[in-house]
Amino acid sequence: LIDDGSTDATPQALREISDPRLKVIRHEQGGGAAAARNAGLAQARAPLLAFLDDDDLWFPDKLQRQLAALRAAPAGTGVCLSAFLRWFPDGAALLGKAEFDQLDFRRNGQGAYHYSIITTSGWLIERAALDKAGGGFDTRLRSWDDWELNLRLWLQTRFTFVEQPTFLQDRVQ
């Protein structure tokens, strides 16, 4: 878990968790999402990688469903994305599903897509695919670092998609 310079009660809450599997790395001065994610990647040792941003919430079977989709996908598939849910303060809900089959980074943003379907909390990535794409997030970018990495991944591996939502995006809204 990377604590990217939080100023709330996060450090205290993390100290209260007594799970030996949890390793906390604190950045005293927030370096941004790309730097925090790269710090986590540097510590990760598993062949599969997943992210959970602090304002999102995974559904209990997220990893199970994405792993099944990744295993069922054609050879050479290294990334599984998923649909998501988002609730708004006025009670409205959004199913972030878009037309995944039309997602094509080569079209410079043209065509049918919804940028949120590539948000990091919906990723399950094979480490080998990430390495082939040059590894990590570009820390020079203050935003869209996830989009840029997805572009690099798109050029190196196949993607698959879970149509059912696997996480709640922006749960604090």
Side-chain angles (χ1 to χ4, degrees), residues 16-105:
E16 294 173 6
I17 299 173
S18 60
D19 187 329
R21 297 172 298 172
L22 179 65
K23 180 175 182 175
V24 177
I25 299 170
R26 171 137 173 103
H27 290 177
E28 291 302 325
Q29 295 181 342
R37 291 174 182 142
N38 285 344
L41 288 171
Q43 296 296 315
R45 299 292 174 252
L48 293 171
L49 305 164
F51 300 88
L52 177 59
D53 291 346
D54 66 341
D55 58 346
D56 297 340
L57 179 68
W58 282 356
F59 296 151
D61 61 349
K62 175 201 184 292
L63 294 175
Q64 180 181 5
R65 285 196 277 153
Q66 285 190 288
L67 182 58
L70 201 54
R71 287 182 174 161
T77 303
V79 177
C80 181
L81 304 178
S82 71
F84 63 92
L85 289 177
R86 181 187 287 170
W87 275 280
F88 296 92
D90 65 1
L94 167 72
L95 171 61
K97 187 170 158 183
E99 292 83 16
F100 171 75
D101 60 339
Q102 296 178 41
L103 178 65
D104 187 343
F105 289 93

Side-chain angles (χ1 to χ4, degrees), residues 65-151:
R65 285 196 277 153
Q66 285 190 288
L67 182 58
L70 201 54
R71 287 182 174 161
T77 303
V79 177
C80 181
L81 304 178
S82 71
F84 63 92
L85 289 177
R86 181 187 287 170
W87 275 280
F88 296 92
D90 65 1
L94 167 72
L95 171 61
K97 187 170 158 183
E99 292 83 16
F100 171 75
D101 60 339
Q102 296 178 41
L103 178 65
D104 187 343
F105 289 93
R106 296 170 297 180
R107 293 192 275 174
N108 298 322
Q110 304 300 312
Y113 69 90
H114 186 287
Y115 73 90
S116 289
I117 69 168
I118 63 159
T119 190
T120 53
S121 292
W123 295 11
L124 182 62
I125 307 174
E126 291 183 352
R127 167 67 83 168
L130 180 68
D131 292 345
K132 189 176 177 184
F137 295 84
D138 189 335
T139 57
R140 298 171 298 175
L141 301 174
R142 295 306 297 167
S143 62
W144 299 99
D145 55 291
D146 51 352
W147 185 267
E148 186 275 336
L149 180 52
N150 262 273
L151 172 58

